[in-house]
Amino acid sequence: MNDLIEKTHQAFFDYFAEKPSFLVRSPGRVNLLGEHTDYNGLPVLPMAIDHSIVIAGCARNDNQFHVVAHDFNDENVTFKLGVSIPKHPQGHWVNYVKAGIKGLLDKMERKDVRACKGCDLYMMGDIPYGSGLSSSSALVVASALCFLQANYIPFHRSPLAVWMAEAEYYVGTRGGGMDQATCLLGESDHLLKLDFFPLRATQIPWDPNYSVVICDSGVRAQKSENALQAYNFRSAECRLGKLLIDSFLKRSGQSFSWERLGDLLQKPHNYTYSDLDELARRSLKEVYSFDELISELGDKKAAVKILKDCSIGPASTYSKLEFSCGKRFRHIISDGWRVEQSRESLMNQDMKKFGECMLKGHQSARDDFAISCKELNDLVESAMESGSLGSRLTGAGFGGCTINLVPKKKVNNFVKKMESTYYRDRAASQDPRILITQPSNGAEILICSQFD
Ligand code: NG1
């Protein structure tokens, strides 16, 4: 048992005065390439990390959940299973627990829901919150696994990953499926190349002579707060961009059905990345006002529906908004392509080229997708001067962490240099601010009787 698992086991016992019957460990993740590509149906290249959320649990004889969060001062929340599970206020940690469970209940028959058992749960984690390391999805997945274990329901990882991506909509994000899939499908010593719609996972061996060093910018990007609005706005710009391309295709007499950019790479369309790039360049302007958008689309209803779906509002503010569809698509298409290129570099053990792809990915996320911030850019600059082969923001952006590709034998030197540059004058408010990591295993369920 690792330290966190042992501590959670003991804490459950101390709190509930009985031993847990199972433990669930669910890891965070970093994404090495392909940012905001997942919900556009283009690939990503993440890995699970050796920082996790652990939940110790025991099934109850009724349909209640009693959940205790160590990292929120042992706050204790109780709720009941049911066809509807009311939300706590936005941003509350228990909404992620409810999201995972509600996501499963939605897939079940009504009569089955009434027969399900609840659990006593005690949770603890070592994934820094709001730092782009996916603590939220780790909690969604961990909670779902507790429910499945308590009710002895068998599952397969890939479909569960797809359900969990939908399940997380409960908290208000309109995200893709990268985080939940990485959490469930990660394998030690491998990166995952994930393709979506349908979900497909390929394991790519990682060169053990390199570490992925995570540097925390100290800027929190809680997706339950401002970053949620910014994230959903990017999602809306991408969906609007798709409508604009559609109307361009119609005007040029080539109307066909597709949902996301990634569909065009698949049969029967079989576009290449350069076809996608050309299509986006021909059909999208860099920036649109709301009026320009409506006049180009000739369909106000469809545009307003997307904005509402992505919780952008109120409608009285629409005329003041700008939609950078052309720029956003330039990033998505080029980052999807960088995933393919960097996968090839890994197969050819060309880590220098892999690092270059990472750096280009950061520049594109900064300039075209506009999800970086000064602190992340400063971190990338310091990292490149401190011996990193590649550096970029990871995850949704707007704060959080960078990831850095560093040869293992240079890691100590890299950390010292970062401490004496980026971190020198900044308050040591967050701890730890540098994490040295390797690709790790996905989520697991441990049955306590097997190690008591
Ligand atoms: P994080 O960094 O965990 O908030 C989010 C989305 C991903 C993906 C990335 C950007 C959720 C749960 N996660 O991740 O699907 O779109 O941003 O690449 O919405």
Side-chain angles (χ1 to χ4, degrees), residues 29 35-36 38-39 132 134 137 168 175-176 178-179 223 231 395-396:
R29 65 98 188 93
E35 225 57 271
H36 291 253
D38 56 354
Y39 54 86
S134 222
S137 300
E168 208 166 323
M178 163 169 67
D179 303 348
K223 280 248 294 311
Y231 183 90

Side-chain angles (χ1 to χ4, degrees), residues 259-328:
E259 225 177 293
R260 300 165 199 90
L261 212 45
D263 298 345
L264 298 181
L265 294 173
Q266 299 189 45
K267 281 184 195 157
H269 313 292
N270 297 327
Y271 276 48
T272 62
Y273 274 94
S274 71
D275 295 335
L276 283 188
D277 186 50
E278 198 190 319
L279 176 64
R281 279 177 203 280
R282 287 173 53 211
S283 51
L284 297 174
K285 288 199 305 174
E286 294 274 291
V287 185
Y288 297 81
S289 68
F290 187 62
D291 287 346
E292 283 172 326
L293 196 72
I294 302 307
S295 95
E296 190 132 343
L297 289 176
D299 184 355
K300 185 169 177 184
K301 252 194 193 161
V304 168
K305 180 175 182 317
I306 289 179
L307 294 175
K308 283 203 173 140
D309 271 5
C310 294
S311 315
I312 312 292
S316 58
T317 60
Y318 291 170
S319 60
K320 296 187 197 102
L321 299 176
E322 283 195 334
F323 305 89
S324 303
C325 302
K327 284 173 124 184
R328 306 303 182 235

